[in-house]
Amino acid sequence: PELEPRLFSFNSPMGACPACDGLGHSEVFDPARVVAFPTLSLASGAIKGWDRRNAYYFAMLQSLAAHYGFDVDTPFERLPAQVRAVVLHGSGEEQIAFSYFIESGASKGKPVLRQHPFEGILPNMERRYRETESSLVREELSKYISNRPCPDCDGQRLNRSARSVFVADRTLPSLTALPIDEASAFFADLALDGWRGEIARRIVKEIRER
């Protein structure tokens, strides 16, 4: 778009990164928080709420273990990397045969077989956090959230258009990230020809003074 001051402000909808709304970071469910006890097995509580004490979720992990051929009693940190990735992020489009137990009605206690992809523990938490109307559930799940640099803008807060504008050979985010001595040297040596120099003269003078 046409260059104007709003384009270079992460406080403006015109300039802010659309993925993080100009915050520079996004909230994600952190695997290091979710797998709080990697030395324990899935059965023993490596991931809170997915161990033997939660029959529904643990039954899913047992079905997953049967499909991929791993032991739920093996310490999580010793499971193959592919297995750990499936447990946390899901099986993609791969279909898994799950066995569920009916908890109510005339068929209570009987197993039900269903085949579908495994959602993954992190996507499961993200979905529940997004969909729940319970403040208690949201508060509990928020314990597993960390702030990470926005993957779209890499923490630079501006949208792609603003990040693609150069002053000499540097973008605005790379300029604002410079240490003061390097920034001072850059603007001391900055030479813009013709109308660019005329437009920039007053603001460059102010930057140098600051």
Side-chain angles (χ1 to χ4, degrees):
E2 184 178 350
L3 303 187
E4 56 179 291
R6 290 184 301 166
L7 179 64
F8 302 101
S9 171
F10 47 73
N11 291 316
S12 166
M14 185 176 179
C17 168
C20 65
D21 293 325
L23 295 175
H25 61 79
S26 55
E27 293 184 335
V28 296
F29 280 85
D30 188 343
R33 292 191 175 194
V34 172
V35 188
F37 306 101
T39 58
L40 298 180
S41 67
L42 290 168
S44 300
I47 301 175
K48 184 179 178 182
W50 289 75
D51 54 24
R52 282 195 174 96
R53 289 171 292 185
N54 189 313
Y56 176 76
Y57 284 132
F58 187 60
M60 296 183 72
L61 293 181
Q62 287 178 307
S63 298
L64 203 67
H67 181 87
Y68 287 101
F70 68 90
D71 189 347
V72 292
D73 289 307
T74 298
F76 185 85
E77 64 183 7
R78 288 170 50 191
L79 292 174
Q82 179 189 6
V83 169
R84 297 197 304 268
V86 168
V87 168
L88 291 175
H89 302 287
S91 64
E93 296 182 0
E94 187 168 353
Q95 299 285 317
I96 315 292
F98 290 99
S99 178
Y100 300 95
F101 284 92
I102 298 175
E103 298 181 353
S104 61
S107 301
K108 181 178 180 180
K110 293 183 178 180
V112 174
L113 297 177
R114 293 177 183 166
Q115 197 163 23
H116 56 81
F118 178 61
E119 181 180 25
I121 292 178
L122 296 179
N124 173 277
M125 289 182 165
E126 291 170 5
R127 177 179 55 78
R128 288 160 54 205
Y129 183 81
R130 184 174 63 250
E131 295 177 355
T132 186
E133 296 181 359
S134 168
S135 58
L136 292 177
V137 171
R138 183 176 290 270
E139 183 179 351
E140 178 63 26
L141 289 173
S142 68
K143 296 176 182 177
Y144 305 104
I145 292 176
S146 292
N147 287 331
R148 296 286 175 86
C150 171
D152 280 32
C153 69
D154 196 28
Q156 295 177 347
R157 308 179 76 170
L158 295 171
N159 64 33
R160 185 176 180 183
S161 296
R163 300 197 312 271
S164 298
V165 176
F166 284 75
V167 177
D169 60 346
R170 288 186 175 272
T171 63
L172 184 61
S174 71
L175 277 176
T176 58
L178 288 175
I180 291 176
D181 56 346
E182 292 182 30
S184 178
F186 174 86
F187 284 103
D189 296 336
L190 181 64
L192 299 174
D193 297 331
W195 61 268
R196 292 182 180 86
E198 285 300 311
I199 293 174
R201 181 171 52 82
R202 291 175 60 186
I203 192 169
V204 169
K205 180 176 180 295
E206 183 178 344
I207 290 172
R208 287 172 178 164
E209 290 174 350
R210 291 190 180 193

